[in-house]
Amino acid sequence: MIKPIDELIEDRVRAIERDFKELRGVSIVLTYGYKIEKNQSDFYITPQEIIDCVAYMCNVPVELIQGIKKGKTEVCDARHIAVVEIIKFHPKLTLKEVGSYFAGRDHATMIHSRNIYNDLFDTNREFRELAQRVCAWIAKEIEAKKY
């Protein structure tokens, strides 16, 4: 059976997104064409501002995203997005430093969070769309702060 064109396009987009994930260490190409080089020193947005943006976009209180409790799915999803966005925009931070924004979670928890994000991004359309909206919002915040 031949796949409809929409499914073929969606499969190709997922493959391209996976390829970009592999290139994160070199440069990060964000949705909507924003590019940030790894050695760029001024990211125009702090990790806390990223968490605030994620909280706003996901409609989850900042305290729950940064808190000790695991929380409901919405809270965990928001936390995974925040972790990955901080890693993307602040590649010089260690995973332990990233974890310090989330009730002192350790580097292994940050790796787990990134892996969960990648799995959800690949398999869950709603999560992927939310993560893309958050990424676009953060990119716009950065652009706004440049001027």
Side-chain angles (χ1 to χ4, degrees):
M1 186 172 118
I2 299 174
K3 286 186 175 181
I5 191 73
D6 292 335
E7 284 183 34
L8 292 172
I9 291 171
E10 191 170 294
D11 289 346
R12 186 66 189 132
V13 166
R14 271 194 293 253
I16 291 169
E17 288 168 343
R18 275 193 300 273
D19 290 343
F20 277 124
K21 286 179 193 175
E22 297 298 318
L23 296 172
R24 275 197 187 123
V26 179
S27 70
I28 302 155
V29 179
L30 303 170
T31 309
Y32 305 101
Y34 293 96
K35 185 174 182 179
I36 296 175
E37 297 299 328
K38 185 174 182 177
N39 62 1
Q40 183 174 342
S41 60
D42 191 357
F43 289 94
Y44 303 106
I45 191 163
T46 67
Q48 187 60 51
E49 289 171 326
I50 290 172
I51 293 167
D52 294 342
C53 285
V54 171
Y56 175 78
M57 292 295 292
C58 295
N59 198 26
V60 174
V62 171
E63 300 80 30
L64 293 180
I65 292 174
Q66 292 184 289
I68 295 171
K69 293 184 180 181
K70 289 186 179 183
K72 297 181 180 179
T73 302
E74 299 81 22
V75 175
C76 292
D77 287 352
R79 187 177 300 125
H80 297 317
I81 292 170
V83 166
V84 169
E85 294 302 320
I86 291 171
I87 291 169
K88 272 199 257 183
F89 287 101
H90 294 279
K92 292 182 181 179
L93 287 179
T94 66
L95 293 176
K96 183 176 174 105
E97 290 169 330
V98 174
S100 70
Y101 288 94
F102 302 95
R105 288 176 166 84
D106 64 10
H107 76 282
T109 305
M110 297 299 97
I111 292 169
H112 177 71
S113 186
R114 185 180 58 198
N115 291 342
I116 294 294
Y117 172 96
N118 290 338
D119 290 343
L120 288 171
F121 194 91
D122 290 341
T123 60
N124 185 319
R125 182 182 210 144
E126 288 179 23
F127 179 86
R128 181 173 51 255
E129 290 171 354
L130 176 61
Q132 288 172 334
R133 282 195 310 272
V134 169
C135 184
W137 178 278
I138 291 170
K140 288 177 186 175
E141 288 292 310
I142 289 171
E143 281 298 306
K145 286 185 167 198
K146 280 185 178 179
Y147 304 106

